[in-house]
Amino acid sequence: MLHAGRIIEYADDSGLICALCLESNGTDARVLSRQGRTSSIRSRRILHVSAAALSTKLPMDELVGHLRRVDDERRRRAQELAGTAVAELWELLATEPRDYALREICEYLDDSGESSETAAALLRALNEDRIYFKLTKGLFFPNAEDKVAALRSQLEAEARREREERVFAETVHGLREDKLTAEQARAALPAELIARLVHVAVHGEESPELAKVSGVLGKAGIRGSSGVFDLLVRLGVFTADENLFLRRFEIPTAFPGEVLAEVQQVVARRFDAGAYLADGDHRVDLRALYTFSIDDASTLDVDDAFSVTLEDAGEVLVHVHITNAAIAVPAGSALDLEARCRATSIYLPEGTIPMLPEEISTGAAVLVAGCDRPALTLAFRFRPGGELADTELFASVVRVDDKLTYDDVNARLPASSILQALDGIAQALERERIAAGALLFNYPEMRIKVLPGGDVELSRIDTASPGFRLVREFMILTNRAIGEYCMNAQIPALFRQQAAPDSKGQTITGGRAETETGEFDPVLAFVMRRTMGPTLTDVKARPHFGLGVAAYAQFSSPARRYRDLLLQQQLSHVLDTGEALFDEEGLKERALGLEQSESRASQVARGRREYWMIKALQKHGERPTPAIVVDTRQKMSVIFLTEYLMEARCSNPGGSLSVGDRILVRIEAANPRRGQLVLVPVGF
């Protein structure tokens, strides 16, 4: 039974508590804490009792004062014993592992102090120890050596984590208070931590790194991936408009050293038309023909051009020249492997991520005006009225004389017999495709350009104009002709195909998404798009429903699309040697992962376009903007914003909206980083 006046150490959830026993009945004890409060505890919780006793009749302030002095001294002594002394005791006792009472361990301790107080201090040191001993029912068992090593490593990791959390919180505070520059803050943080934060900002809740950085984020008061993004902007790791899609889909923006080394070799060789023609090469010299390209004014990767000859009896000979990029990018080269990995150039509002280095994609492997270039040419002979009479494929040497824009074509058309002939043929080709079941959308497009200061410039593109129609129809004809050529000659190729819609659903065949007055009809376009099935790739030629052609193989853009480059490598070899470079299995092997890479690139381009469009909409304000309802659900409708030429979702209160309604909507919320655009109808 305890005697009143003794100082005890008892176990509590927070650790060991030093207290003065005021009275005890053997089962329970009433104790006084150093804070001057009294409480009752179970006697079995007491682990140590002092040898000396105080008179409980002393004034309360004297009892509390004495207790505090004893407690402080025990803490001091425990700190001295912790670490080295405890480790030395473990080395002695681990040789004979068993349960040890506190008094036994004290016998191994070389200490000249009062034994009861030394035992109390040692008890505290052992209790706070998390490495060497395990405390069970008042007895201490020395841990095995491997467990000690593991616990020591764990504690070191915890200490590093606590230190990291402290430094991180101090750094974030310094940034917020403008006491640290971004450069200073980055230098204060481990590179590994910054990399984890980047992963969290990019992948959000799906990031496995979130659990690893949740502690530091919590200490710094940062919530969610958006908070992490804002911090990385402050740190100068991200820009305010950072393209997270590139990071999420791991799209490379720089080229490896071995690729750049090959680029220098390609550039150094330079294409020498005279050398090709003088050596008896099969290329046809077409440099004397007036040749022109048609693209956007900003386009640098020009891979197609036209030459037109108006012949007697109303026949028209049209040469479509496709740059022979396979000369610069031979199969199996480092350039080829990199292009296969990227699959396509990605066109973003803020710039282009090319499939091939710019020295190739805008220089050596494209049709630069005024420069001799190798090409693969398709010669199309048309009868009067636009009927295709004959097609021939051959290798050539061409020189582009003029780089025209779509606007140039539209402006020159009334006075140019060549452009009029091309436009007439393009219209005939379009009618032929519609008769075969093709669906023409002619979506008006909004060009989005990001200016140097980060502002967004929007401009409308009329894709139904003669210039666009001319290029579109001749590129479809080119790819159709190549598909038929490969199919008939049994040359292995990657054919694009699309099956006709399931007859059970709503089916539209052969038409334009236009109103009776010839204007774009977003409702009809939505219905037409919904009827169409997926476009697939196979080594067997099958019809392409949406284009209205029997065979189709992409060939016309070898400098910016890998499947076109791959087919050009195949056909270049056929024209050179009479034999295919790849069999069907070889093509399948080279096409592995191609559609997945194309899909990633498409998601990046689509996501980034949406980002900048929503950012532009942020500045629209509360002014209502016109829209047309193209589809309805019970609570939500799909609308076409006529001012911004884009589809979006809009609330449908009470199901009051119907397809075809012309309404006004207000932008209630717009967050480009989240892809959030909340629209509500405000009138008709």
mmCIF file of all heavy atoms in Angstrom, residues 411-437:
data_model
loop_
_atom_site.group_PDB
_atom_site.id
_atom_site.type_symbol
_atom_site.label_atom_id
_atom_site.label_comp_id
_atom_site.label_asym_id
_atom_site.label_seq_id
_atom_site.Cartn_x
_atom_site.Cartn_y
_atom_site.Cartn_z
ATOM 1 N N ALA A 411 -9.935 35.419 -102.660
ATOM 2 C CA ALA A 411 -9.877 36.737 -103.295
ATOM 3 C C ALA A 411 -9.537 36.641 -104.782
ATOM 4 O O ALA A 411 -10.054 37.417 -105.610
ATOM 5 C CB ALA A 411 -8.853 37.614 -102.576
ATOM 6 N N ARG A 412 -8.673 35.693 -105.162
ATOM 7 C CA ARG A 412 -8.214 35.596 -106.551
ATOM 8 C C ARG A 412 -9.140 34.759 -107.431
ATOM 9 O O ARG A 412 -9.017 34.778 -108.664
ATOM 10 C CB ARG A 412 -6.803 34.988 -106.591
ATOM 11 C CG ARG A 412 -5.746 35.815 -105.897
ATOM 12 C CD ARG A 412 -4.371 35.153 -106.043
ATOM 13 N NE ARG A 412 -3.354 35.836 -105.252
ATOM 14 C CZ ARG A 412 -2.064 35.532 -105.281
ATOM 15 N NH1 ARG A 412 -1.634 34.568 -106.084
ATOM 16 N NH2 ARG A 412 -1.196 36.185 -104.520
ATOM 17 N N LEU A 413 -10.010 34.016 -106.821
ATOM 18 C CA LEU A 413 -10.843 33.063 -107.559
ATOM 19 C C LEU A 413 -11.593 33.696 -108.736
ATOM 20 O O LEU A 413 -11.584 33.135 -109.852
ATOM 21 C CB LEU A 413 -11.826 32.392 -106.598
ATOM 22 C CG LEU A 413 -12.733 31.310 -107.189
ATOM 23 C CD1 LEU A 413 -11.887 30.153 -107.729
ATOM 24 C CD2 LEU A 413 -13.712 30.790 -106.139
ATOM 25 N N PRO A 414 -12.249 34.847 -108.581
ATOM 26 C CA PRO A 414 -13.024 35.396 -109.701
ATOM 27 C C PRO A 414 -12.196 35.710 -110.941
ATOM 28 O O PRO A 414 -12.730 35.703 -112.066
ATOM 29 C CB PRO A 414 -13.630 36.678 -109.100
ATOM 30 C CG PRO A 414 -13.662 36.432 -107.627
ATOM 31 C CD PRO A 414 -12.416 35.652 -107.354
ATOM 32 N N ALA A 415 -10.908 35.970 -110.780
ATOM 33 C CA ALA A 415 -10.067 36.380 -111.915
ATOM 34 C C ALA A 415 -9.067 35.312 -112.345
ATOM 35 O O ALA A 415 -8.267 35.545 -113.255
ATOM 36 C CB ALA A 415 -9.312 37.666 -111.559
ATOM 37 N N SER A 416 -9.069 34.146 -111.695
ATOM 38 C CA SER A 416 -8.065 33.114 -111.977
ATOM 39 C C SER A 416 -8.721 31.902 -112.616
ATOM 40 O O SER A 416 -9.534 31.211 -111.987
ATOM 41 C CB SER A 416 -7.337 32.704 -110.695
ATOM 42 O OG SER A 416 -6.515 31.582 -110.911
ATOM 43 N N SER A 417 -8.367 31.625 -113.877
ATOM 44 C CA SER A 417 -8.928 30.449 -114.561
ATOM 45 C C SER A 417 -8.449 29.153 -113.912
ATOM 46 O O SER A 417 -9.183 28.160 -113.870
ATOM 47 C CB SER A 417 -8.541 30.477 -116.040
ATOM 48 O OG SER A 417 -7.122 30.529 -116.188
ATOM 49 N N ILE A 418 -7.209 29.162 -113.398
ATOM 50 C CA ILE A 418 -6.672 27.965 -112.741
ATOM 51 C C ILE A 418 -7.457 27.656 -111.472
ATOM 52 O O ILE A 418 -7.895 26.518 -111.245
ATOM 53 C CB ILE A 418 -5.169 28.158 -112.430
ATOM 54 C CG1 ILE A 418 -4.342 28.091 -113.707
ATOM 55 C CG2 ILE A 418 -4.692 27.094 -111.442
ATOM 56 C CD1 ILE A 418 -2.861 28.326 -113.493
ATOM 57 N N LEU A 419 -7.644 28.673 -110.637
ATOM 58 C CA LEU A 419 -8.374 28.459 -109.392
ATOM 59 C C LEU A 419 -9.838 28.127 -109.666
ATOM 60 O O LEU A 419 -10.447 27.316 -108.951
ATOM 61 C CB LEU A 419 -8.258 29.693 -108.496
ATOM 62 C CG LEU A 419 -6.866 29.977 -107.925
ATOM 63 C CD1 LEU A 419 -6.876 31.260 -107.089
ATOM 64 C CD2 LEU A 419 -6.367 28.811 -107.074
ATOM 65 N N GLN A 420 -10.421 28.730 -110.705
ATOM 66 C CA GLN A 420 -11.800 28.412 -111.057
ATOM 67 C C GLN A 420 -11.925 26.954 -111.484
ATOM 68 O O GLN A 420 -12.902 26.271 -111.127
ATOM 69 C CB GLN A 420 -12.285 29.340 -112.171
ATOM 70 C CG GLN A 420 -12.507 30.771 -111.724
ATOM 71 C CD GLN A 420 -12.845 31.696 -112.884
ATOM 72 O OE1 GLN A 420 -13.066 31.246 -114.013
ATOM 73 N NE2 GLN A 420 -12.886 33.000 -112.620
ATOM 74 N N ALA A 421 -10.931 26.484 -112.245
ATOM 75 C CA ALA A 421 -10.953 25.079 -112.673
ATOM 76 C C ALA A 421 -10.848 24.150 -111.467
ATOM 77 O O ALA A 421 -11.589 23.155 -111.361
ATOM 78 C CB ALA A 421 -9.808 24.819 -113.653
ATOM 79 N N LEU A 422 -9.942 24.481 -110.560
ATOM 80 C CA LEU A 422 -9.791 23.665 -109.353
ATOM 81 C C LEU A 422 -11.059 23.677 -108.517
ATOM 82 O O LEU A 422 -11.493 22.632 -108.008
ATOM 83 C CB LEU A 422 -8.612 24.176 -108.513
ATOM 84 C CG LEU A 422 -7.206 23.770 -108.939
ATOM 85 C CD1 LEU A 422 -6.181 24.400 -107.996
ATOM 86 C CD2 LEU A 422 -7.042 22.260 -108.945
ATOM 87 N N ASP A 423 -11.656 24.841 -108.365
ATOM 88 C CA ASP A 423 -12.863 24.939 -107.552
ATOM 89 C C ASP A 423 -14.019 24.165 -108.188
ATOM 90 O O ASP A 423 -14.792 23.496 -107.488
ATOM 91 C CB ASP A 423 -13.250 26.407 -107.375
ATOM 92 C CG ASP A 423 -14.424 26.573 -106.425
ATOM 93 O OD1 ASP A 423 -14.394 25.955 -105.337
ATOM 94 O OD2 ASP A 423 -15.378 27.309 -106.761
ATOM 95 N N GLY A 424 -14.124 24.235 -109.506
ATOM 96 C CA GLY A 424 -15.174 23.472 -110.179
ATOM 97 C C GLY A 424 -14.999 21.978 -109.976
ATOM 98 O O GLY A 424 -15.971 21.246 -109.739
ATOM 99 N N ILE A 425 -13.758 21.505 -110.064
ATOM 100 C CA ILE A 425 -13.480 20.082 -109.842
ATOM 101 C C ILE A 425 -13.768 19.711 -108.384
ATOM 102 O O ILE A 425 -14.339 18.651 -108.100
ATOM 103 C CB ILE A 425 -12.026 19.755 -110.219
ATOM 104 C CG1 ILE A 425 -11.816 19.931 -111.729
ATOM 105 C CG2 ILE A 425 -11.669 18.336 -109.795
ATOM 106 C CD1 ILE A 425 -10.363 19.866 -112.155
ATOM 107 N N ALA A 426 -13.370 20.601 -107.452
ATOM 108 C CA ALA A 426 -13.601 20.336 -106.030
ATOM 109 C C ALA A 426 -15.097 20.184 -105.746
ATOM 110 O O ALA A 426 -15.514 19.301 -104.989
ATOM 111 C CB ALA A 426 -13.005 21.457 -105.177
ATOM 112 N N GLN A 427 -15.907 21.033 -106.370
ATOM 113 C CA GLN A 427 -17.353 20.919 -106.176
ATOM 114 C C GLN A 427 -17.879 19.605 -106.748
ATOM 115 O O GLN A 427 -18.762 18.965 -106.156
ATOM 116 C CB GLN A 427 -18.061 22.112 -106.827
ATOM 117 C CG GLN A 427 -17.776 23.438 -106.131
ATOM 118 C CD GLN A 427 -18.550 24.580 -106.749
ATOM 119 O OE1 GLN A 427 -19.775 24.524 -106.833
ATOM 120 N NE2 GLN A 427 -17.841 25.627 -107.184
ATOM 121 N N ALA A 428 -17.354 19.192 -107.909
ATOM 122 C CA ALA A 428 -17.774 17.919 -108.504
ATOM 123 C C ALA A 428 -17.373 16.747 -107.610
ATOM 124 O O ALA A 428 -18.148 15.792 -107.423
ATOM 125 C CB ALA A 428 -17.152 17.769 -109.902
ATOM 126 N N LEU A 429 -16.158 16.797 -107.065
ATOM 127 C CA LEU A 429 -15.708 15.739 -106.146
ATOM 128 C C LEU A 429 -16.579 15.690 -104.897
ATOM 129 O O LEU A 429 -16.910 14.604 -104.401
ATOM 130 C CB LEU A 429 -14.245 15.993 -105.756
ATOM 131 C CG LEU A 429 -13.195 15.817 -106.858
ATOM 132 C CD1 LEU A 429 -11.831 16.319 -106.380
ATOM 133 C CD2 LEU A 429 -13.108 14.353 -107.283
ATOM 134 N N GLU A 430 -16.963 16.858 -104.406
ATOM 135 C CA GLU A 430 -17.818 16.919 -103.221
ATOM 136 C C GLU A 430 -19.182 16.288 -103.509
ATOM 137 O O GLU A 430 -19.698 15.501 -102.702
ATOM 138 C CB GLU A 430 -17.974 18.375 -102.786
ATOM 139 C CG GLU A 430 -18.684 18.564 -101.459
ATOM 140 C CD GLU A 430 -18.734 20.032 -101.074
ATOM 141 O OE1 GLU A 430 -19.556 20.774 -101.663
ATOM 142 O OE2 GLU A 430 -17.950 20.435 -100.199
ATOM 143 N N ARG A 431 -19.763 16.624 -104.675
ATOM 144 C CA ARG A 431 -21.063 16.043 -105.040
ATOM 145 C C ARG A 431 -20.957 14.529 -105.184
ATOM 146 O O ARG A 431 -21.861 13.783 -104.773
ATOM 147 C CB ARG A 431 -21.550 16.668 -106.353
ATOM 148 C CG ARG A 431 -21.982 18.111 -106.221
ATOM 149 C CD ARG A 431 -22.743 18.559 -107.480
ATOM 150 N NE ARG A 431 -21.912 18.505 -108.679
ATOM 151 C CZ ARG A 431 -21.165 19.520 -109.106
ATOM 152 N NH1 ARG A 431 -21.134 20.671 -108.425
ATOM 153 N NH2 ARG A 431 -20.451 19.414 -110.215
ATOM 154 N N GLU A 432 -19.846 14.060 -105.743
ATOM 155 C CA GLU A 432 -19.635 12.617 -105.919
ATOM 156 C C GLU A 432 -19.581 11.910 -104.567
ATOM 157 O O GLU A 432 -20.175 10.842 -104.386
ATOM 158 C CB GLU A 432 -18.336 12.380 -106.695
ATOM 159 C CG GLU A 432 -17.991 10.905 -106.905
ATOM 160 C CD GLU A 432 -16.621 10.712 -107.536
ATOM 161 O OE1 GLU A 432 -16.042 11.691 -108.048
ATOM 162 O OE2 GLU A 432 -16.111 9.574 -107.479
ATOM 163 N N ARG A 433 -18.901 12.524 -103.613
ATOM 164 C CA ARG A 433 -18.799 11.900 -102.290
ATOM 165 C C ARG A 433 -20.151 11.890 -101.577
ATOM 166 O O ARG A 433 -20.501 10.906 -100.916
ATOM 167 C CB ARG A 433 -17.758 12.629 -101.429
ATOM 168 C CG ARG A 433 -16.336 12.445 -101.909
ATOM 169 C CD ARG A 433 -15.299 12.794 -100.858
ATOM 170 N NE ARG A 433 -15.418 14.144 -100.348
ATOM 171 C CZ ARG A 433 -15.782 14.441 -99.093
ATOM 172 N NH1 ARG A 433 -16.077 13.481 -98.235
ATOM 173 N NH2 ARG A 433 -15.845 15.712 -98.704
ATOM 174 N N ILE A 434 -20.896 12.980 -101.701
ATOM 175 C CA ILE A 434 -22.218 13.031 -101.063
ATOM 176 C C ILE A 434 -23.131 11.966 -101.664
ATOM 177 O O ILE A 434 -23.877 11.276 -100.949
ATOM 178 C CB ILE A 434 -22.839 14.436 -101.218
ATOM 179 C CG1 ILE A 434 -22.051 15.439 -100.371
ATOM 180 C CG2 ILE A 434 -24.308 14.434 -100.803
ATOM 181 C CD1 ILE A 434 -22.503 16.876 -100.544
ATOM 182 N N ALA A 435 -23.051 11.781 -102.974
ATOM 183 C CA ALA A 435 -23.854 10.747 -103.629
ATOM 184 C C ALA A 435 -23.479 9.359 -103.126
ATOM 185 O O ALA A 435 -24.312 8.434 -103.103
ATOM 186 C CB ALA A 435 -23.675 10.831 -105.150
ATOM 187 N N ALA A 436 -22.215 9.197 -102.717
ATOM 188 C CA ALA A 436 -21.746 7.912 -102.192
ATOM 189 C C ALA A 436 -22.047 7.750 -100.700
ATOM 190 O O ALA A 436 -21.690 6.731 -100.113
ATOM 191 C CB ALA A 436 -20.250 7.766 -102.441
ATOM 192 N N GLY A 437 -22.676 8.775 -100.089
ATOM 193 C CA GLY A 437 -23.063 8.669 -98.681
ATOM 194 C C GLY A 437 -22.255 9.506 -97.721
ATOM 195 O O GLY A 437 -22.450 9.421 -96.501
#
